[in-house]
Amino acid sequence: MGFFNFKNMEHCLGNCVGCLKVNYSLFSDLTEKELESLNMERNKLFFKKGDSIFLEGAMPIGLYCLNHGKVKMIKKGKIEDEFIVSLHKPVDFLGFDNLMSNSPYTYTAVAIEDVSICIIKKENLFSVIEKNVDLGKKIINYLSQKLIDQNERMLVLTQTKMESRLAYTLIELINFYGYDIDGKTIAVELKRKELASLSSMNTANVIRILSAFNKQKIVKTKLRKIQILNLQSLKQIVE
């Protein structure tokens, strides 16, 4: 399997200048001229649920901007068959840290659901960064905060009981993806083994603890959907 499937690529009909999602990204303060520079030779990619977007070990060729859908970054795990490094939603950049360090991807990106992604040519991005000091500072702050968050998460998942780990993960999913239209169901569907990976546990323990949460009427599960019945109780488990 290659870096990405060129059959999934087409020239984007839109442009960075008119993209409303720009207002919610690191590019929010760029001028129209700078956005036009990013837009040059930009392409749009489409992937089906389960497709690999890029593979661990490949060199970044550009900046991947997630327009629609959800993505997980994975590595081969020891507890389960895969370890989820991070989750992503629209407006996120994929593999940004490896692109900025000019190093091979340290994880594989996989579509959790059907996704569309814009790819900005690496040379065009770096050209804009070199001329815009404020953008460079924003990128440094972004990557620094990402590292701080990862360290905090690692502390929770290595220093707490399994019930707390799963509760912490569910709260993270709520904060990150929000709820479906019912205001109770977490707006992402994950397999039990994916929840296990996010919680640094094995699948059997996730199934057992979710069952206990169901009995305590903290959550209600239906296949991969998880409805939160008592958020306060979930927070108390983490504390």
Side-chain angles (χ1 to χ4, degrees), residues 153-161 165:
R153 188 172 192 280
M154 184 182 299
L155 183 63
V156 172
L157 296 182
T158 56
Q159 302 296 320
T160 60
K161 297 179 181 179
R165 297 181 201 176

Side-chain angles (χ1 to χ4, degrees), residues 106-117:
T106 49
Y107 34 70
T108 294
V110 178
I112 297 176
E113 56 189 37
D114 291 355
V115 302
S116 65
I117 294 171

Side-chain angles (χ1 to χ4, degrees), residues 4 8 33 67 119 138 172 197 235:
F4 55 74
N8 293 337
K33 184 177 180 180
N67 287 321
I119 181 168
K138 286 179 70 174
E172 271 196 323
S197 176
K235 291 179 178 180

Side-chain angles (χ1 to χ4, degrees), residues 221-238:
T221 59
K222 183 178 181 181
L223 299 178
R224 296 179 188 176
K225 292 184 178 293
I226 300 178
Q227 190 177 86
I228 305 301
L229 302 179
N230 193 329
L231 180 58
Q232 188 57 40
S233 292
L234 208 58
K235 291 179 178 180
Q236 288 174 351
I237 292 171
V238 175

Side-chain angles (χ1 to χ4, degrees), residues 41-58:
E41 300 178 81
R42 180 171 64 99
N43 290 283
K44 197 165 189 176
L45 293 75
F46 298 90
F47 295 90
K48 293 292 186 181
K49 179 179 179 180
D51 284 352
S52 294
I53 298 165
F54 56 73
L55 301 177
E56 182 177 352

